[in-house]
Amino acid sequence: MKLKYMIPALCICTCTTMPEMLHAQDDSLKKDSTERPFNAMDYVLQKRYIPQGREVNNSQPGKNFSLSVMGGVNKLRGSSSLPAWFNGGIALTKDVSSFNSYRVSLLGGFNDELKQGGIELDHLFNLSDYIGGYKSGAHISLYTVLGIGGYVSKRDGMDAKIAGGVHGGLQARYHLSRNWDWYVEPKLYLYTDGIDGADCPKRYDVGYGVYTGLTYRFTGLPIRMKSEDMGDNMFIEAAIGTQGDFGKPVRNNLSGLQTLGPAASLAIGKWFMPLGWRISGFGGFHYTFNSDNFKSEEVYGGGRAEVLVNLNTLISPSVEDPRLEVNLSAGYEFGALAHRSSDYAKKLRTFHGPTGSMQLVYFLSDQIGITGEARYSKSFYTQPFKSGITQDRHMQNVGVMFGVQYRRRKVDFDAKRGFFQPYNFAYATVGTNFPMRTAGVKMKDIPDMLGQQISLGVGRQYTPLSAVRGSIEIGRYAYQHGGVYPLSVTADYMLNLTNMIGNYSENRIFDLNAFAGIVYTHHEMEDKNYFGIQGGLQQSFKLNDRWNIFAEEYLRGYNGKITPSARTYTSGEYTFVLGASIGTSYRF
């Protein structure tokens, strides 16, 4: 097509479509004119969505108050020479809304140089509920902490100083049950001058601290407990292994693993998940260095109390009855150590100190598990010498133990319970005894140092857990190739540990009992009467519905010298008798 024809055709098309385009533009302008223009201020001030928090009102039981007991450490940064100090106290908390709480705390602290008291007022904000909403039954909450405090600090030999401060931090809270919480709270502090009991050129101090505590909530939360009665998640365990003192004085003379010796322990405890407690008795001997012999044995024994943390349920609270558990423990132990050196003025010394362990438990069945545990203990004691010198010493004990644990891990044991009926029983025993002495004892002489006893007794099993019994015992305590022949009367309370942990079962053939009681002994040689206490363990095997056989071990303590050859311990002149018996009992 020629150019002179193309130009007119293009103009005709343009004129034809232009009215439609103008009409569409006009409609568009009319539509836009009805919309509000964008307003940045309205966008900023619009109401945000806030997740639903836990309902809090004063009509609830307990009025949403909580009471806490806590402890921790504080440390100053910068030029202050003050060592870290321990702080502990009590606190009262009030939840005022779904996300906000207020807390007042009374504190007291100390170290070797400082004594301190104080009061703090804090605002706690429930960060986890504010971000993610309240979840009924959740075990973990995270709070922000912001507060002020006033303190009085006094150093030895200086006037008391008054200081103030502001602080902030985070609180991680674990709900153990409906009413109990455990928390950890790290904080940063900005103090006015005088918090360390001294003047600072900067006129202020910066510090930090970490606290942990237990809280009782007067208003309960809907937390599903992992234990529904006393026996749930309670356990007993027995272990054997090795332990040695790896302190520097011993390592310098005994290299490698020469210090290791055998060790054993027996424990009872209970889990509340993820926390628990355990009480243990332990004993054994290790090797050490002394001036008489290059390498000699030291016998020891004692008890410990510990707090346990189960890492499985701490990390994942919904976990129940894992096959493999990882547990941590921390606690304190007390005991006695028997030395062998002619340089020592006193060869039996008491010790005490902190202890901690890491334990693995693998459950072969629902209730029976095998354990492996590595432990460290730092045990302090004083050692007097014949020269008049007294040394402050400590042992650094490291050990590994392997054992067996029996635990009720499931709460459906009620279906396995039998119907219990109280019953009476009579029993007879025969056994051996050893009035304790530690000096001059050699293995070949032990048979001549053992005595004998026989006893007859009766008792009653009132409940699956509790029984009482009494006995008359005739014995012989070895003394100078002859002996003395005491007459004893005993009365005991017995606690059935297997029923306590595993519930009563009429089909069970083995029971473990702990017993404790009083004992009266008449000493015919000196015509004296002695009163004491005793405690021990009994292992019982069921033969049929009427007859049992059992073995038991006990320790008796008397105020006085029970035989002329028995050693007296402590300034109170106490003597001890170890004993073991086998016997049979008849139920009626």
Side-chain angles (χ1 to χ4, degrees):
M1 183 180 295
K2 295 183 179 180
L3 183 60
K4 64 180 181 179
Y5 297 115
M6 292 179 62
I7 294 175
L10 183 61
C11 291
I12 293 172
C13 291
T14 303
C15 292
T16 303
T17 58
M18 184 62 70
E20 293 296 328
M21 292 177 63
L22 292 174
H23 180 69
Q25 183 179 6
D26 184 62
D27 290 345
S28 176
L29 289 173
K30 290 180 180 180
K31 182 178 180 181
D32 289 343
S33 66
T34 64
E35 293 183 352
R36 292 184 59 189
F38 174 76
N39 189 312
M41 182 62 70
D42 289 344
Y43 178 79
V44 171
L45 296 178
Q46 69 179 333
K47 188 175 182 179
R48 302 279 190 236
Y49 167 72
I50 299 176
Q52 182 68 35
R54 178 175 65 89
E55 181 182 359
V56 174
N57 60 69
N58 284 329
S59 65
Q60 294 172 316
K63 307 295 184 182
N64 296 289
F65 280 99
S66 302
L67 186 65
S68 302
V69 178
M70 69 281 198
V73 292
N74 286 72
K75 183 73 174 71
L76 295 180
R77 290 183 56 84
S79 59
S80 176
S81 61
L82 183 69
W85 69 93
F86 168 81
N87 242 336
I90 59 174
L92 183 66
T93 304
K94 168 70 172 176
D95 299 333
V96 296
S97 69
S98 300
F99 308 115
N100 298 283
S101 304
Y102 290 96
R103 180 181 66 185
V104 58
S105 305
L106 297 177
L107 301 171
F110 66 92
N111 61 17
D112 292 338
E113 303 177 18
L114 177 78
K115 292 180 175 61
Q116 184 184 90
I119 182 171
E120 293 181 348
L121 179 63
D122 297 309
H123 171 261
L124 283 74
F125 182 74
N126 193 325
L127 189 63
S128 52
D129 282 5
Y130 186 80
I131 294 175
Y134 172 66
K135 298 178 178 62
S136 178
H139 282 267
I140 297 177
S141 298
L142 183 65
Y143 290 76
T144 62
V145 180
L146 184 64
I148 59 175
Y151 314 91
V152 178
S153 303
K154 186 180 187 309
R155 284 207 187 188
D156 294 339
M158 301 176 65
D159 294 335
K161 300 285 186 179
I162 297 177
V166 295
H167 55 265
L170 293 174
Q171 183 189 96
R173 186 180 299 182
Y174 192 98
H175 305 296
L176 299 170
S177 67
R178 285 181 52 84
N179 298 96
W180 287 97
D181 296 343
W182 168 58
Y183 69 87
V184 176
E185 186 175 316
K187 291 186 285 190
L188 294 176
Y189 293 85
L190 178 63
Y191 300 107
T192 62
D193 192 19
I195 189 64
D196 59 352
D199 294 325
C200 175
K202 298 184 299 183
R203 314 305 298 172
Y204 70 90
D205 286 291
V206 177
Y208 56 90
V210 61
Y211 290 80
T212 185
L214 284 174
T215 299
Y216 180 80
R217 307 178 65 96
F218 294 98
T219 303
L221 298 177
I223 300 296
R224 179 177 175 269
M225 297 181 63
K226 295 180 181 293
S227 298
E228 295 186 357
D229 62 39
M230 183 181 70
D232 288 339
N233 283 307
M234 183 169 278
F235 63 89
I236 54 175
E237 62 183 25
I240 58 174
T242 184
Q243 180 174 291
D245 177 10
F246 288 86
K248 186 175 180 181
V250 179
R251 293 201 317 268
N252 290 341
N253 294 280
L254 297 178
S255 60
L257 304 179
Q258 294 186 63
T259 182
L260 292 175
S265 67
L266 184 66
I268 182 171
K270 179 173 172 62
W271 285 104
F272 299 93
M273 295 301 176
L275 297 183
W277 58 264
R278 178 173 61 181
I279 298 175
S280 310
F282 62 90
F285 69 84
H286 58 225
Y287 293 94
T288 189
F289 172 84
N290 63 52
S291 58
D292 294 339
N293 300 292
F294 178 73
K295 182 178 180 181
S296 63
E297 300 173 359
E298 285 185 338
V299 180
Y300 61 87
R304 62 174 68 100
E306 298 172 283
V307 175
L308 309 175
V309 178
N310 180 277
L311 296 185
N312 302 69
T313 55
L314 179 66
I315 297 172
S316 181
S318 62
V319 170
E320 290 187 356
D321 296 349
R323 177 74 63 164
L324 177 65
E325 290 185 354
V326 183
N327 305 317
L328 302 179
S329 76
Y332 212 81
E333 64 182 29
F334 298 87
L337 178 72
H339 290 297
R340 294 177 179 271
S341 175
S342 59
D343 294 334
Y344 298 151
K346 294 183 178 180
K347 297 182 180 180
L348 185 67
R349 307 305 299 150
T350 58
F351 63 81
H352 64 92
T355 182
S357 72
M358 179 176 181
Q359 182 191 64
L360 300 178
V361 186
Y362 181 80
F363 281 88
L364 303 174
S365 65
D366 286 341
Q367 288 81 42
I368 298 177
I370 55 176
T371 67
E373 185 170 7
R375 175 173 298 279
Y376 171 78
S377 303
K378 189 171 185 178
S379 304
F380 299 90
Y381 67 97
T382 58
Q383 181 59 65
F385 289 80
K386 292 180 179 179
S387 62
I389 299 174
T390 299
Q391 289 184 351
D392 291 327
R393 294 182 171 184
H394 68 269
M395 299 179 289
Q396 299 198 53
N397 296 317
V398 178
V400 178
M401 307 286 283
F402 299 94
V404 177
Q405 183 182 107
Y406 176 66
R407 186 198 309 175
R408 187 204 301 186
R409 296 207 300 164
K410 294 184 179 296
V411 297
D412 60 352
F413 265 66
D414 287 340
K416 301 179 182 179
R417 284 181 175 172
F419 177 72
F420 174 80
Q421 288 183 320
Y423 60 86
N424 302 315
F425 59 91
Y427 64 96
T429 70
V430 59
T432 185
N433 57 69
F434 174 57
M436 286 182 61
R437 50 183 291 193
T438 53
V441 176
K442 298 180 180 180
M443 291 297 294
K444 65 178 182 178
D445 297 329
I446 288 181
D448 296 330
M449 298 179 181
L450 298 179
Q452 300 80 34
Q453 76 266 345
I454 59 173
S455 69
L456 295 174
V458 294
R460 180 170 177 81
Q461 188 80 37
Y462 285 97
T463 70
L465 299 183
S466 299
V468 294
R469 69 175 185 177
S471 71
I472 297 177
E473 176 187 286
I474 299 174
R476 170 185 171 272
Y477 293 158
Y479 171 62
Q480 292 183 350
H481 307 291
V484 296
Y485 299 87
L487 173 67
S488 299
V489 178
T490 68
D492 296 318
Y493 168 77
M494 304 185 72
L495 176 65
N496 191 307
L497 298 177
T498 45
N499 284 345
M500 182 175 66
I501 296 171
N503 280 331
Y504 170 72
S505 172
E506 58 186 8
N507 298 318
R508 184 181 292 122
I509 63 171
F510 172 78
D511 281 306
L512 178 64
N513 292 276
F515 62 88
I518 58 176
V519 57
Y520 159 77
T521 298
H522 176 72
H523 197 307
E524 60 87 20
M525 174 181 284
E526 300 180 0
D527 195 23
K528 289 184 178 180
N529 299 311
Y530 296 89
F531 290 91
I533 58 175
Q534 69 174 9
L537 292 173
Q538 181 193 84
Q539 305 83 39
S540 177
F541 297 87
K542 183 178 179 181
L543 300 178
N544 54 43
D545 290 340
R546 295 290 185 182
W547 290 94
N548 286 16
I549 58 174
F550 63 86
E552 64 181 38
E553 309 80 38
Y554 66 81
L555 173 67
R556 290 177 181 171
Y558 294 96
N559 186 4
K561 200 167 186 177
I562 194 66
T563 69
S565 60
R567 178 170 178 175
T568 56
Y569 298 93
T570 75
S571 58
E573 300 295 315
Y574 293 101
T575 57
F576 299 94
V577 177
L578 290 171
S581 300
I582 57 174
T584 183
S585 66
Y586 176 77
R587 179 188 303 189
F588 62 94

